[in-house]
Amino acid sequence: MLAPDGQEWLSRASRGPQQVLGRSGATQALSRYALMYPAKADTKDALVQDFHSFRQALNVASADQRVLVLINAPANQESKLRESLRSVANAEAVIGRFHFDFEQGTQWKSKITGTRNEPGIVLIHPGEFGLKGKVLKQLPLTAGSEQIIATMQQANAQFAATTEKKVYSQHVAKGSREGIYFEGAVPYGEDRDGDGEIDRRGGDRGRGGFGGRGAGGRDAGGRGAGPRPTP
Amino acid sequence: MIRRFALVFCLAALSGCVMAQGPRPSNLGASNLDLGESGIQWYTTWESAETEAKRSGRAIMFVAAATQCHGVSGVF
């Protein structure tokens, strides 16, 4: 937990909610932090979410099983849209149900079916593994807030009605069987000793160790350190 | 609760998806949340979370995790 300045630590960092927020309950602990730092600005004007890349946005939307809202606008219109879409992204019917990403250009279209030529607000159904997707709806950049929210609600309902809920263990197993591979920005493995390098177990065998299981253990044996091709 | 914090889910740092005292991805079931229902509205870049925290004065819950497990995407 960090103070609003992003610098002051309010808690220690650890891996489990209980270790950070205490055993009395995460909700109680979060409520205490909320009382310490009450909102001083209207939360309905909160910034719209964004990702570092469309590739990452698609992956996370798939993981969270949410519709991805892509704002594909020319550079000279993007900042204005970041402002005007605040009321949309923070609307009660929208917040917490979607992911948002701003992208310029057309590179994102290579992973998505059903795209159009013109820029717009594109509602995307992410694929099972977040490597591809399809367009559910597209709106012009000039669409009004009410129209956008209504269309997003329709897309969300359509998505929920036509998508199978993931059981993550089965998802991982299926992905492994099918050779699904996502090259992340961060190397596989862990730096538990804090030396800035991914820990290796028993020499350089795979993507790092977790004490005999996981990516550095059983599964890493046959994979080696290099990436596998994405099917 | 979701509006009280500037929540950031940093897709970096810890890789491998192992949580101490928690289940491994190979043991995870389904989310408790039904599809289409409202969950946490994360900020997915540090810059946006920090900007929003400063704007709103709300605390930051910083979560770092891997984007995938065993190279399989669409997990976290």
Side-chain angles (χ1 to χ4, degrees), chain A residues 29-211:
Chain A
L30 290 173
S31 295
R32 284 198 301 274
Y33 288 118
L35 288 171
M36 287 169 61
Y37 297 98
K40 65 181 185 185
D42 194 337
T43 53
K44 291 184 177 175
D45 294 328
L47 227 64
V48 182
Q49 175 197 22
D50 193 11
F51 284 86
H52 288 295
S53 69
F54 177 74
R55 183 172 167 272
Q56 189 184 56
L58 193 61
N59 185 23
V60 173
S62 168
D64 283 352
Q65 297 209 272
R66 296 184 189 181
V67 172
L68 176 61
V69 182
L70 173 70
I71 298 94
N72 179 220
N76 62 355
Q77 293 183 45
E78 190 178 286
S79 60
K80 188 180 172 188
L81 284 159
R82 285 183 190 272
E83 292 301 317
S84 64
L85 287 173
R86 289 187 188 211
S87 62
V88 171
N90 295 296
E92 196 67 40
V94 169
I95 193 166
R97 291 180 165 88
F98 300 84
H99 282 297
F100 292 83
D101 183 39
F102 290 80
E103 292 291 330
Q104 297 166 16
T106 58
Q107 200 172 8
W108 62 275
K109 292 183 179 178
S110 64
K111 302 175 191 300
I112 305 299
T113 58
T115 61
R116 298 184 201 164
N117 288 329
E118 64 272 20
I121 299 168
V122 190
L123 308 183
I124 295 171
H125 186 311
E128 183 178 8
F129 291 99
L131 300 173
K132 53 190 177 182
K134 64 180 179 186
V135 174
L136 291 169
K137 310 266 185 192
Q138 178 161 344
L139 290 160
L141 295 172
T142 54
S145 296
E146 286 185 12
Q147 183 189 1
I148 298 171
I149 292 171
T151 306
M152 288 173 70
Q153 285 182 292
Q154 290 170 14
N156 191 38
Q158 182 184 342
F159 174 79
T162 58
T163 306
E164 188 177 351
K165 193 173 176 181
K166 283 181 185 175
V167 176
Y168 289 102
S169 57
Q170 295 172 9
H171 175 81
V172 171
K174 183 179 179 184
S176 295
R177 278 198 309 273
E178 295 186 6
I180 301 295
Y181 180 74
F182 184 87
E183 183 72 28
V186 178
Y188 288 89
E190 277 190 277
D191 175 23
R192 284 186 164 178
D193 56 11
D195 66 354
E197 298 290 332
I198 297 299
D199 300 335
R200 300 294 179 189
R201 189 176 64 84
D204 190 5
R205 46 168 298 192
R207 298 184 180 122
F210 299 113

Side-chain angles (χ1 to χ4, degrees), chain B:
Chain B
M1 181 59 69
I2 56 177
R3 285 184 173 168
R4 284 175 150 177
F5 294 91
L7 295 160
V8 60
F9 178 62
C10 181
L11 301 164
L14 300 176
S15 186
C17 312
V18 179
M19 291 184 71
Q21 301 174 355
R24 287 173 174 273
S26 51
N27 295 327
L28 285 176
S31 167
N32 291 330
L33 207 61
D34 286 333
L35 296 188
E37 294 300 309
S38 182
I40 293 175
Q41 186 64 58
W42 298 100
Y43 283 102
T44 35
T45 67
W46 170 252
E47 293 78 13
S48 58
E50 187 181 32
T51 302
E52 174 56 23
K54 287 176 178 172
R55 186 198 73 88
S56 66
R58 293 178 293 171
I60 298 170
M61 184 168 78
F62 181 89
V63 179
T67 54
Q68 66 287 313
C69 285
H70 302 206
V72 177
S73 54
V75 181
F76 285 106

